[in-house]
Every structure is written in C-alpha cells, then in structure tokens.
Amino acid sequence: MLDFDRADLVQPGGHSVPDGLGPRLSLYFLDRPAGDHGPAQRLRVMLATNGTDGEPRGTIFFSPGRTEFIEKYLETVDSLTQRGFWVVIMDPRGQGLSGRILEDRLRSYVETFQDYADDLGWICDTLAPHCPKPFIAMGHSMGGTIVLHAVLSATLSPSAVICSAPMLGLVDVDNGLMRSGIRALSALGLSKSNLPFQKQRGGLPVAFADNKLTSDRDRYRRWASFFQDTPRLRVGEPTFGWIAAALNSMAFINRNAPQLGIPGLMVAAGGDQIVDPASIEQFAMKSGCDFHVVPGAKHELFLERDVMRNEFLGVIDRFLEEQAL
C-alpha cells in the first residue's frame, strides 16, 4: 500500500469488478502542487498489479478519453493485467473524481493539452519508484493525443506507445475554416462556453441507437449506467476552449510525428464517426509506427463486440511480442 490518500471505486447498480481483479486494485488521490500547469490538482489514480504468476512484464500507464473515468476500463485493466502487466490509470483533470477545473463541474475545458500531458508525466514520475519496468504508455482517443503530446514534448519517456483511435483528426471538424472559426471564437471570450448543437446534454449519454462509440449493447449500457447513476462522474459537451486546445495539440503532434523516436502502435476503428482513421494512418507513416485498422468497429475499440475487441487485443499482443516487451 502506498502512502497516499485512499480513494474509492464507484460501482453503480451493483456492477461487479471482474473476478479476481478486486484484490489487486488500489485507488489513491495524488495532490499535484501548483506550478506552470496552473493551480494545484487532485488526481484520482488506480494501480492494478499483474494477475499472473511470476515477475510482472512491466507497467502500462493508461490515459483515458474525454469524459472518461477509471471504472470504464476495469474490463480492459483485467485484460492487460492477465497478460502480466501492472496498470496505472487516472481520471484526467476535470473528469471522473479528479479535481474539476471550472466552477461549473459539467464544463469540459482545459487551457492546453500540455496540462494533461504534464499531469500524466507527473503521475509517472511519482509512481515510477513503485512500478516495474519497462514502462509502456497507452491511451484511447483524447488519451492517445495526451500520450503522444507527452512523448513529443519530452514530458514522458516510455519504452513504447500504444494508441486506440487516437484523436489526430476530428470528423466533425474537417476543414480549415471550421478550425479557424473555433479558435477565433475561443480567443474572443467563448473559451469556457459549450459548443452548440451537441446531442449530449448535462453529461448524460445518448440512446444506444444514436451512439457513435460501440455496437456492443451490453458494454454500452454498463458504461452509460455510471453517468446515469453517479452524477459526480458526469462531464458535459466540449467547450470552445477544449476544442481549440485539442486542435492545437493535434497540430503539434502531426507536425512533430517524425520525432517520436520510440516503437509505437496506432490502431484505428474502421467505422469511426469521431476520429478520422486516415489521420491515424498518416501519423503512423510519418512516425514509423505500426498501423492497424479494425474493420467495422466504432470509436471505442476497448468496448466493442468481442470479435472486434479480441482482434484489437491480438494486435497489441503481437506488437508487444515483436518489441520483446
């Protein structure tokens, strides 16, 4: 047990933790001091130890996507720990039970993605003495952007990086005029105002039939129940400022792709309606990363139907084996 404030696991509707995972989980609040990243931040972090005999293979530092929280990834954490890894996963600032940035808790806002990247780097530095090496950085969607931003800004130095549908080109923001308009409106004082015309309202999920995340009804319902039953987990639609910060981060990552300098795996969802799969392939080509697309999958590869999810995990297994990790 580490010497940090203990945090709780949220389990709405009696959702159970995967068999055997519970005793291997520890949740903490880590208080990051104020600095260049802004005011002090309280970050909720979970550490899961390996579920196999023998020495662990290393530690995966996992960065979730926008609106996301630790509990969404318990099935994924179980899959990764059963492969012999420790996993560290956090609620990003402004999400889950980490500290919120604005007085209105629902507003999805960040000043710059470097703040997210610095939080991840600080968590890694703080927990590194307690975690087995090698370190692998993994992220989904916004989390993939954060991981790549952290590596390219020299905030994080893992042995390899793995990204699921990393946010490198947004389908809904697909032309220069729209991107310029969002940046301009953010700079003119609307940075903390919500983007209009979003289906999501009040941090509640849309109906399964309207969702762009997964074709697996049971996994979608389980994810949605956390927001429905636990209001303190909710995060609303993105603000102009969040989108502007995301656009700046994506531009930085794409511009510096050739400097990645470590082995990487970029996996796209073939049926993604949120992130353009072509943007992921282009980054992989420029950075020298491996690339794979899961045909027909929606955005949330970790929450997709078993046939797609298993293909995704198989690609990760092959990459790790090829890299001797």
Side-chain angles (χ1 to χ4, degrees):
M1 184 180 298
L2 303 180
D3 188 20
F4 302 109
D5 292 344
R6 297 303 298 268
D8 293 328
L9 192 70
V10 178
Q11 292 180 263
H15 285 314
S16 60
V17 177
D19 289 345
L21 179 62
R24 297 186 282 109
L25 300 181
S26 301
L27 283 92
Y28 305 97
F29 284 116
L30 274 63
D31 293 310
R32 186 177 178 203
D36 294 341
H37 59 278
Q41 294 289 331
R42 169 157 273 217
L43 301 168
R44 187 175 67 135
V45 178
M46 185 179 78
L47 188 152
T49 56
N50 57 301
T52 54
D53 294 333
E55 293 296 315
R57 292 171 64 181
T59 303
I60 293 173
F61 286 84
F62 194 102
S63 184
R66 196 188 78 82
T67 80
E68 294 180 354
F69 49 91
I70 289 167
E71 287 81 359
K72 175 182 176 179
Y73 287 99
L74 290 180
E75 183 181 19
T76 299
V77 168
D78 188 48
S79 296
L80 297 173
T81 57
Q82 291 299 338
R83 285 163 165 76
F85 292 99
W86 285 27
V87 177
V88 173
I89 183 170
M90 61 185 284
D91 290 343
R93 62 167 66 197
Q95 296 180 198
L97 301 186
S98 287
R100 299 294 171 113
I101 298 172
L102 303 179
E103 186 175 345
D104 183 347
R105 288 178 52 84
L106 286 177
R107 301 248 171 162
S108 179
Y109 172 81
V110 73
E111 185 172 336
T112 168
F113 268 48
Q114 188 66 56
D115 289 345
Y116 287 139
D118 288 348
D119 286 345
L120 180 62
W122 181 80
I123 289 292
C124 185
D125 289 344
T126 302
L127 295 184
H130 310 283
C131 296
K133 292 182 177 180
F135 296 159
I136 300 163
M138 184 180 291
H140 168 68
S141 191
M142 176 190 87
T145 313
I146 292 169
V147 162
L148 293 172
H149 194 123
V151 173
L152 289 168
S153 64
T155 306
L156 198 65
S157 299
S159 296
V161 59
I162 299 172
C163 293
S164 157
M167 195 177 66
L168 298 173
L170 294 172
V171 172
D172 292 338
V173 188
D174 58 358
N175 62 71
L177 181 61
M178 188 176 295
R179 292 191 290 270
S180 296
I182 289 172
R183 286 189 174 107
L185 289 170
S186 178
L188 289 172
L190 294 179
S191 65
K192 297 175 183 177
S193 298
N194 289 335
L195 224 63
F197 311 120
Q198 300 291 304
K199 286 187 177 180
Q200 182 195 39
R201 286 290 182 268
L204 289 169
V206 300
F208 175 75
D210 297 326
N211 97 89
K212 299 179 180 180
L213 303 180
T214 176
S215 59
D216 189 296
R217 186 179 295 272
D218 290 338
R219 286 189 173 106
Y220 184 79
R221 284 176 173 169
R222 186 160 58 245
W223 165 81
S225 70
F226 282 92
F227 289 126
Q228 292 161 345
D229 297 348
T230 313
R232 60 190 175 140
L233 289 176
R234 295 174 190 167
V235 179
E237 52 268 43
T239 57
F240 281 96
W242 187 91
I243 293 288
L247 291 171
N248 291 338
S249 180
M250 289 186 286
F252 167 77
I253 291 167
N254 288 319
R255 186 170 62 249
N256 290 282
Q259 279 69 57
L260 186 67
I262 57 172
L265 171 65
M266 303 292 122
V267 184
D272 204 329
Q273 300 176 62
I274 297 173
V275 172
D276 181 3
S279 68
I280 302 171
E281 184 175 17
Q282 289 167 8
F283 174 84
M285 291 176 61
K286 293 177 182 177
S287 61
C289 290
D290 291 357
F291 173 75
H292 183 84
V293 59
V294 180
K298 291 190 176 183
H299 182 62
E300 297 277 1
L301 290 164
F302 286 110
L303 294 189
E304 259 296 2
R305 287 178 286 131
D306 284 348
V307 63
M308 299 176 185
R309 186 175 186 273
N310 290 341
E311 177 180 342
F312 175 38
L313 292 174
V315 170
I316 293 175
D317 288 338
R318 288 193 294 274
F319 170 76
L320 293 171
E321 182 178 353
E322 289 169 359
Q323 300 301 327
L325 293 170

